[in-house]
Amino acid sequence: MPPTTDLLQGTLDLLILQTLATGPMHGWGVAQRIQQVSRDVLQVGQGSLYPALHRLEYKGWIRADWGNSENNRKAKFYSLTVTGRKQLETELETWERLSGAVGLVLGRIPEAAS
Amino acid sequence: MMSEFWTRLRYLFTRREPDELDDELRFHLEQAIDVRVAAGMSAEEAHRQALIELGGMQRTREQCYEQRPGWWMGTVAQDVRYALRGFRRNAVFTVTVIATLAVGIGATTAVFSVVDRILFRPLPYAHDDRIVSVGLVQSLERQEFAVGGFFFDWRDNQKPFEAFASQGAMPHACDLVEANPAQLNCIHAQAGFLPLLGVSPVLGRNFLPEEDRPNGPRVALISYGLWQDHYNRDPGVLNRLIDVDGSTARIVGVLPKGFELPTLQAADVMMPLALDEGNERKSSPGSAMRAFARLRPGVSIVQAKAELEPLFVHTRDTLIPAPIRKDFHLSVRSLRDRETKDVQSAAWILLGSVFAVLLIACANVASLMMARGEARERELAVRSALGASRGRLIRQTLTEASMLSLAGAVAGIVLAEGLLMVFLRLAPTGIPFLTRAGLDVRIALFTVMLSLVCGALFGLLPALQTPRAVALAARAAKSRNRTMLRRSLVVGQIAISMVLLSGAALLVRSFQNLEGQSLGLQTQGVLSARIALPGFRYDTGQKKMEFYLRLEAALKRFPGIHAVGFSDSVPPGGWQNNERFADLAPEGKPFPEQGTGGSVVSRGVTPDYFRALNIPILRGRNFTEEDRQGSDYPVVLSRLLALRMFPGEDPLGKRIHRDRDKLWLLVVGVAENVKNGGLTEQDEPEIYFLRRSVQQDWGGRAPVGEVMSGAAPLMIVDGLVPQETVALWVRSQAAQIDPTVPVEIETLNESVSKLADRPRFETALLGFFAFCGLLMAVIGLYGVISFVATQRTQEIGVRMALGATRADILRLIAGEGVRLIVLGGVLGMAAALAAAQLLKSLLYNVGPHDPVTYAAVALLLALVALVATLIPARAAMKVEPVVALRYE
């Protein structure tokens, strides 16, 4: 097993869900999008990306359909399901609470609290 | 939540195309290449770099598969197959573990199923923990009893109970007279009796208060069994009129299935006790009964007894004649104690011993699993190096442990079923509930769980500890730790089996004493026949007497019959009639102080009694045929009684005054003592009355001068021909006089042997457990020593190369075993000496610390254990030094 903690794994799930919230996307697209949005800070390797996608699919939070990519190749597109959307909301809440708490511990007043 | 569940379920059953994932990953790769090519890289270089960035594809593939719900199920089958292969390779290990588990689980389950009702299971009444048996006890009656003379007084004035009611003194045989007649047991009970127990009829209703009065409507409740067998569970049975002993009663209800009287006696029909309250209050003593009560919540038995004390004192001082007052005591006991007090200690001992066996079994399984784990350390290390995760290794070990436990459990349950059957066959009739004992599912589960935990815990130890690299190098200090653990397990096993063995040996010795003792009478070739004359047809003593005397005369005509006697009971035990010693005084002497001298066994016999049982008349004479026709009351005393009543005098011709009815008895002879207090008790003094040929001596009611109890006579026949023939004669002759009377025939040998049933049962069981325990402890010892020997093979090689002789090696290895045996033996001996106190009540003529027994047990254990040590030690001794040096 790769040395990931629950926090990191949970975070990756959150990032994927958030990314897919903008619309259906294939695995490659998800990875690129996360990298772009985070200004190259977060790089998701396929070694963690695909297991995570499959996990979320098995949980019923995202759905996979085969379709054609922008360059007309067969690709698997993932999209958020209704439960996935709800899940994203709760995860976001949890994340905010957590980052707020961490911020307090580190002595920085989080923006959300001000 | 539900949708997630369905998704999981769907994925469990639909298999996805295996190459879908490959397609997906290939697309990812192509995209990565495209990006690089677009950035101006050569196609080849882009391909190379993208592959590097992608990393191990196979790993990703596997991880994706592992996300699949139920993925691990596939690996279980794999683990099972692997385990089975391992078991086959190591059959001795497998069989030993399964057999050990089977014995542990089987024995514990079977014994627990038996003792559960006695010790733990709630009684089948509501608030069973608050129901008590209340009444008086005295030297002749140790179970609480009550009489009408005080019962109503107590009921109205008591405070500690919220309910107080009674049943009749005893169920009695009664006849159901109808087209399909049957002999049944009838019991009387008050209207408040069933509500007190929290029992309500499954059909119909309980007695109404107005039915529980003299001359009230005649009603009856019938048992579930009677309803089922006799009335085919017909609901129309309600309000039916039945004829019981010649009078009609209306069925008003059916008792629930499994209902039992708190006295545990059988009863098919329950009728109102219908006492005349006013009359009973005034009478002394009044009708006898068994009273029960339900404590108020929060009131303890001790408190209740203290609160009843004033009532008791009043009763004692007003109702009981002053001379015998001292002999009566108040008793309040929990119902469980009343039902099972005398078997509780045996039950605890059995339970203790079987848990000891279970402990030994668990230690053995643990030890074996550890040995196997250690032997497989390298294998585990290799598997882990090949990429098996620790979780996977643990799961594999757990799979093996649970498979073994499961197999052991199945074998154990089968064994338990068998053992229970053996118990039921061996078991004496005196153990309550035994016939109804069934395998207890809860305890079976418990033992299976326990053994699973034993196996899994110790089997896991190596798997948990395996540090990948170190294990390949193997032989580290920690394995020494584990050997220490195994050694202490073996020491514990030896100690426990020492306790079991010495307990069993004590019981065996005690049983030998019991069987070997002289009873003082002849049992060989003697038959006893109990003929229960139906009371409603033989309603006078005259009719009964005529029947018995005709039968006696008819049997005496047979040439092969040597003696035909009557008595009301036969020694050495079982029910027998009693007199109070203080009730008898030699002529011219005062009665002994009441409450002193204990009781005297009394028997009403005919002259042939002494002849049939071959009891010698020491002085004077036996009863004669002329005495039977006379009107005197001749008696024969046992030697013990003669000595106590007439110390230093000649008792012959002396008269004895009986206080109770002012009768004068004439001593005509002195008979040798017989074993009459049961097999294990001291002999009691005994007085023989003559059963004369007058109707009151045969169960008739006589206003005065009733010498004997109303007990039905027991015929005793001594024949010179085979017993089967005699039995046949008795039956045919009885049938000629009245073909409807039931005849119960038993050889005296059987009845004596029955008395020894309890000790035989206890001895056999404890012996069996001790044997199992010893066997398993020896297996454990053997396992550890051979393991140590293998572990030290290299060391042995070095020693031999340096000049150690084979004898030195033998000493080296065997010494290890001897240390364990001595340590375990000493610990066990100390524990056994302490535990033996518990056995005391079961022992006969052998002290709980009998040195011979302990020496024998120690010797046996030492011998067997030494053999278990010497076998692997000899194997180690024979190792060739060259082979040993190259070992590993």
Side-chain angles (χ1 to χ4, degrees):
Chain A
M1 290 245 174
T4 49
T5 67
D6 281 346
L7 176 65
L8 286 176
Q9 196 183 53
T11 316
L12 180 57
D13 289 359
L14 175 62
L15 292 179
I16 292 174
L17 290 175
Q18 175 69 37
T19 310
L20 287 178
T22 56
M25 217 174 275
H26 46 66
W28 169 259
V30 172
Q32 291 306 104
R33 182 61 174 268
I34 291 175
Q35 195 169 346
Q36 266 171 22
V37 172
S38 68
R39 293 176 206 134
D40 284 347
V41 174
L42 299 174
Q43 298 201 6
V44 186
Q46 55 89 15
S48 15
L49 175 69
Y50 286 98
L53 281 171
H54 282 244
R55 182 169 58 242
L56 294 175
E57 189 187 348
Y58 289 129
K59 283 185 176 170
W61 295 346
I62 60 177
R63 203 178 59 226
D65 303 286
W66 287 95
N68 286 331
S69 69
E70 45 281 13
N71 48 11
N72 229 352
R73 285 204 193 113
K74 225 177 122 202
K76 202 171 167 192
F77 283 84
Y78 293 94
S79 56
L80 225 52
T81 63
V82 181
T83 29
R85 205 166 287 282
K86 273 188 218 145
Q87 184 63 26
L88 175 60
E89 276 164 30
T90 37
E91 298 242 324
L92 275 175
E93 248 171 59
T94 316
W95 170 257
E96 266 159 27
R97 234 190 2 259
L98 182 71
S99 58
V102 172
L104 284 174
V105 171
L106 296 180
R108 310 221 169 118
I109 296 152
E111 283 163 42
S114 58
Chain B
M1 216 51 207
M2 274 314 277
S3 74
E4 187 184 328
F5 173 75
W6 284 118
T7 324
R8 277 166 182 265
L9 209 62
R10 201 172 65 237
Y11 281 110
L12 203 57
F13 290 109
T14 57
R15 205 167 268 282
R16 285 212 289 176
E17 297 296 310
D19 47 15
E20 250 185 36
L21 182 64
D22 285 344
D23 285 348
E24 196 177 3
L25 290 175
R26 197 176 311 119
F27 171 74
H28 190 101
L29 180 68
E30 283 163 4
Q31 290 291 44
I33 296 169
D34 283 358
V35 170
R36 285 178 172 75
V37 171
M41 212 176 270
S42 78
E44 223 167 279
E45 182 61 13
H47 192 95
R48 202 179 68 85
Q49 289 215 355
L51 272 181
I52 292 172
E53 190 202 67
L54 225 58
M57 294 277 266
Q58 186 56 34
R59 182 91 191 106
T60 308
R61 228 173 262 137
E62 275 176 16
Q63 281 188 353
C64 284
Y65 283 134
E66 283 172 23
Q67 301 305 324
R68 218 184 140 110
W71 156 81
W72 55 271
M73 285 191 194
T75 69
V76 170
Q78 211 179 337
D79 284 347
V80 168
R81 273 198 302 279
Y82 187 80
L84 283 178
R85 266 210 306 279
F87 294 156
R88 210 173 313 142
R89 259 205 314 274
N90 221 329
V92 178
F93 162 81
T94 313
V95 170
T96 316
V97 171
I98 293 180
T100 307
L101 281 173
V103 171
I105 294 174
T108 317
T109 309
V111 166
F112 192 86
S113 304
V114 171
V115 301
D116 180 42
R117 245 330 283 275
I118 297 174
L119 298 177
F120 309 114
R121 173 90 38 112
L123 308 173
Y125 311 116
H127 307 294
D128 62 299
D129 51 329
R130 288 179 8 221
I131 296 181
V132 290
S133 169
V134 184
L136 305 182
V137 289
Q138 54 130 345
S139 51
L140 299 185
E141 174 58 353
R142 295 254 145 244
Q143 301 273 35
E144 296 78 11
F145 65 93
V147 290
F150 70 80
F151 173 81
F152 296 101
D153 178 39
W154 287 24
R155 186 194 63 187
D156 297 343
N157 296 306
Q158 58 83 17
K159 289 191 192 68
F161 307 127
E162 57 184 22
F164 193 41
S166 65
Q167 67 171 62
M170 225 185 185
H172 56 278
C174 53
D175 292 271
L176 182 63
V177 190
E178 54 177 41
N180 181 10
Q183 187 160 50
L184 305 173
N185 288 306
C186 289
I187 184 75
H188 293 280
Q190 290 180 329
F193 183 67
L194 289 180
L196 159 79
L197 299 176
V199 170
S200 38
V202 279
L203 195 68
R205 57 167 177 84
N206 184 19
F207 309 133
L208 302 174
E210 60 265 29
E211 288 162 347
D212 187 18
R213 273 183 209 140
N215 306 319
R218 297 259 307 168
V219 293
L221 286 163
I222 59 172
S223 72
Y224 196 90
L226 185 66
W227 184 47
Q228 185 169 316
D229 300 339
H230 211 80
Y231 298 107
N232 268 329
R233 304 178 41 156
D234 173 17
V237 80
L238 288 184
N239 290 324
R240 183 191 285 222
L241 296 176
I242 52 171
D243 182 337
V244 178
D245 277 352
S247 75
T248 322
R250 195 159 51 86
I251 297 179
V252 294
V254 177
L255 291 166
K257 198 174 180 170
F259 170 77
E260 59 192 28
L261 291 177
T263 52
L264 298 181
Q265 288 155 320
D268 307 295
V269 177
M270 183 181 274
M271 291 189 284
L273 192 55
L275 291 177
D276 183 344
E277 216 178 297
N279 243 345
E280 292 284 338
R281 280 178 194 276
K282 277 178 277 170
S283 61
S284 164
S287 310
M289 53 183 118
R290 304 281 181 191
F292 299 91
R294 188 167 66 235
L295 294 166
R296 284 183 197 287
V299 177
S300 73
I301 290 180
V302 179
Q303 281 170 320
K305 196 173 170 189
E307 286 183 43
L308 281 182
E309 196 66 32
L311 285 170
F312 164 68
V313 169
H314 177 252
T315 299
R316 188 186 58 192
D317 295 346
T318 51
L319 207 67
I320 303 172
I324 54 171
R325 252 172 224 164
K326 263 196 195 156
D327 192 29
F328 286 77
H329 305 278
L330 172 67
S331 170
V332 180
R333 271 196 302 172
S334 75
L335 196 52
R336 187 185 298 280
D337 276 357
R338 189 204 190 277
E339 288 186 351
T340 62
K341 184 73 199 170
D342 51 334
V343 289
Q344 279 177 11
S345 66
W348 278 116
I349 287 165
L350 265 183
L351 194 61
S353 62
V354 83
F355 271 116
V357 171
L358 188 63
L359 266 181
I360 296 181
C362 270
N364 235 5
V365 172
S367 183
L368 283 163
M369 292 297 274
M370 273 162 73
R372 180 160 162 82
E374 263 156 74
R376 290 176 57 185
E377 212 153 73
R378 281 176 148 251
E379 178 203 325
L380 289 183
V382 170
R383 292 182 64 193
S384 135
L386 289 179
S389 67
R390 174 165 300 194
R392 190 63 205 278
L393 288 184
I394 290 174
R395 204 160 48 219
Q396 165 69 35
T397 319
L398 269 181
T399 309
E400 285 183 14
S402 24
M403 281 173 71
L404 286 174
S405 302
L406 212 65
V410 170
I413 303 282
V414 171
L415 183 69
E417 195 69 72
L419 275 177
L420 202 58
M421 252 149 63
V422 175
F423 289 176
L424 291 183
R425 182 155 286 193
L426 274 183
T429 43
I431 297 188
F433 312 120
L434 191 59
T435 47
R436 269 178 282 154
L439 270 199
D440 191 290
V441 180
R442 294 169 307 155
I443 189 64
L445 279 179
F446 168 74
T447 46
V448 169
M449 286 303 294
L450 188 65
S451 50
L452 184 76
V453 168
C454 285
L457 198 65
F458 291 94
L460 272 182
L461 223 57
L464 286 174
Q465 288 184 345
T466 308
R468 287 143 200 235
V470 185
L472 276 174
R475 300 284 167 275
K478 62 169 178 37
S479 105
R480 211 153 266 290
N481 274 341
R482 260 182 266 148
T483 315
M484 265 319 288
L485 187 56
R486 289 192 64 194
R487 284 192 186 120
S488 18
L489 280 177
V490 167
V491 169
Q493 283 179 314
I494 293 179
I496 296 175
S497 48
M498 177 85 201
V499 176
L500 277 177
L501 271 180
S502 50
L506 283 173
L507 283 184
V508 167
R509 293 261 301 169
S510 146
F511 187 67
Q512 280 172 344
N513 293 343
L514 208 60
E515 293 276 84
Q517 70 183 334
S518 155
L519 297 175
L521 55 98
Q522 155 186 287
T523 58
Q524 192 59 44
V526 183
L527 290 179
S528 71
R530 170 127 6 232
I531 302 164
L533 297 179
F536 72 101
R537 265 192 293 131
Y538 292 83
D539 51 355
T540 64
Q542 190 65 32
K543 288 185 192 167
K544 289 182 190 165
M545 181 180 81
E546 274 164 17
F547 177 91
Y548 289 120
L549 293 187
R550 271 180 73 187
L551 184 57
E552 183 190 3
L555 281 173
K556 275 191 169 167
R557 279 202 296 277
F558 283 88
I561 288 184
H562 165 239
V564 181
F566 285 99
S567 172
D568 36 32
S569 56
V570 275
W575 177 87
Q576 45 198 12
N577 211 5
N578 284 293
E579 294 276 331
R580 274 194 203 87
F581 181 75
D583 209 22
L584 304 168
E587 192 173 9
K589 293 198 180 135
F591 287 99
E593 196 193 335
Q594 276 297 340
T596 64
S599 60
V600 175
V601 175
S602 84
R603 259 183 263 274
V605 302
T606 56
D608 264 8
Y609 174 82
F610 296 98
R611 215 165 295 142
L613 296 181
N614 210 3
I615 300 171
I617 302 290
L618 300 175
R619 317 188 50 184
R621 61 173 177 87
N622 185 0
F623 301 125
T624 61
E625 290 302 318
E626 292 79 65
D627 291 340
R628 293 179 81 177
Q629 310 303 331
S631 55
D632 290 343
Y633 297 102
V635 293
V636 171
L637 307 182
S638 75
R639 188 159 56 92
L640 190 59
L641 185 60
L643 205 66
R644 279 183 59 184
M645 291 192 77
F646 302 97
E649 287 174 63
D650 183 4
L652 294 183
K654 292 262 166 51
R655 297 210 301 162
I656 295 175
H657 197 197
R658 185 159 77 170
D659 197 24
R660 170 149 51 98
D661 43 17
K662 312 296 176 206
L663 266 187
W664 286 99
L665 313 167
L666 177 69
V667 180
V668 297
V670 175
E672 180 56 284
N673 293 332
V674 296
K675 195 90 196 159
N676 59 2
L679 287 177
T680 56
E681 301 300 315
Q682 289 286 314
D683 291 354
E684 286 179 34
E686 176 153 356
I687 184 165
Y688 298 94
F689 296 100
L690 174 65
R691 203 179 266 273
R692 297 163 306 150
S693 300
V694 292
Q695 64 150 325
Q696 59 265 35
D697 284 7
W698 296 87
R701 299 256 176 270
V704 281
E706 189 177 345
V707 183
M708 273 154 307
S709 71
L714 185 68
M715 196 160 75
I716 294 153
V717 190
D718 181 20
L720 306 167
V721 288
Q723 289 181 321
E724 295 76 36
T725 320
V726 179
L728 209 68
W729 287 347
V730 173
R731 281 186 203 284
S732 66
Q733 289 308 307
Q736 269 192 12
I737 303 172
D738 184 343
T740 65
V741 297
V743 181
E744 257 177 69
I745 295 183
E746 201 174 42
T747 70
L748 214 51
N749 271 344
E750 279 167 6
S751 10
V752 173
S753 159
K754 249 188 223 164
L755 285 175
D757 271 355
R758 266 277 285 286
R760 183 181 303 119
F761 184 59
E762 288 152 5
T763 310
L765 280 192
L766 201 53
F768 173 69
F769 296 141
F771 172 75
C772 291
L774 179 66
L775 191 69
M776 286 193 277
V778 163
I779 292 174
L781 180 68
Y782 173 86
V784 167
I785 299 302
S786 54
F787 178 74
V788 170
T790 332
Q791 217 182 21
R792 293 171 80 169
T793 307
Q794 213 164 8
E795 180 197 332
I796 292 169
V798 173
R799 281 175 188 264
M800 284 179 117
L802 290 179
T805 62
R806 290 187 186 275
D808 290 335
I809 302 302
L810 185 68
R811 225 169 295 143
L812 179 75
I813 301 298
E816 168 91 32
V818 171
R819 269 201 299 281
L820 297 184
I821 298 169
V822 169
L823 189 57
V826 169
L827 284 177
M829 184 70 88
L833 286 171
Q837 287 301 333
L838 302 173
L839 275 179
K840 216 167 167 183
S841 63
L842 300 183
L843 296 181
Y844 175 66
N845 266 359
V846 53
H849 296 155
D850 180 53
V852 181
T853 309
Y854 283 90
V857 166
L859 196 69
L860 173 74
L861 189 74
L863 267 176
V864 177
L866 264 182
V867 171
T869 312
L870 282 180
I871 295 171
R874 270 176 60 88
M877 177 184 89
K878 290 205 178 120
V879 166
E880 284 301 320
V882 183
V883 179
L885 280 171
R886 288 205 187 123
Y887 185 77
E888 293 215 15

